[in-house]
Amino acid sequence: AQVHICEPKGFNDAQDVGDRVKLGEPVILNLQGVDRDLQRRLIDFASGLCYALSGSMQKVGDQVFLVSPSNVEVSDEEKQRLSAKGLYRA
């Protein structure tokens, strides 16, 4: 599955993450450069989203998280593409 990259500027960007995951798209949530309070709120939101939709959330880099719907696998090619952008480390 193609992974959408979200680099939020505010909490309102959480809705985009939620909408994409509900549609079955995995999302990279890049919280680098986001202040601590907003980071915490977005992580809490993504955690609740994953819980509600039986999805998963894993840390894949420094302040970078992969939020995936249930039953969606990210291909090795997609992981390599993200790794090249510095957004995924195995």
Side-chain angles (χ1 to χ4, degrees):
Q2 177 81 20
V3 177
H4 176 74
I5 298 170
C6 178
E7 297 177 327
K9 302 294 177 243
F11 189 72
N12 290 344
D13 294 325
Q15 184 175 351
D16 180 47
V17 174
D19 289 344
R20 289 180 179 278
V21 173
K22 285 194 307 187
L23 290 172
E25 294 178 35
V27 175
I28 283 284
L29 186 56
N30 182 357
L31 300 178
Q32 296 170 347
V34 174
D35 75 63
R36 286 261 181 241
D37 183 52
L38 180 55
Q39 278 184 10
R40 194 172 305 112
R41 291 179 69 203
L42 289 166
I43 289 169
D44 287 348
F45 174 85
S47 297
L49 176 72
C50 289
Y51 177 77
L53 298 178
S54 301
S56 66
M57 180 172 161
Q58 69 184 100
K59 189 170 186 176
V60 295
D62 184 36
Q63 299 174 356
V64 179
F65 299 86
L66 174 62
V67 182
S68 299
S70 61
N71 305 322
V72 173
E73 274 301 312
V74 176
S75 69
D76 289 338
E77 296 83 27
E78 190 66 6
K79 289 176 183 174
Q80 288 172 351
R81 182 182 78 88
L82 295 167
S83 182
K85 294 182 178 201
L87 295 173
Y88 192 95
R89 63 172 182 249

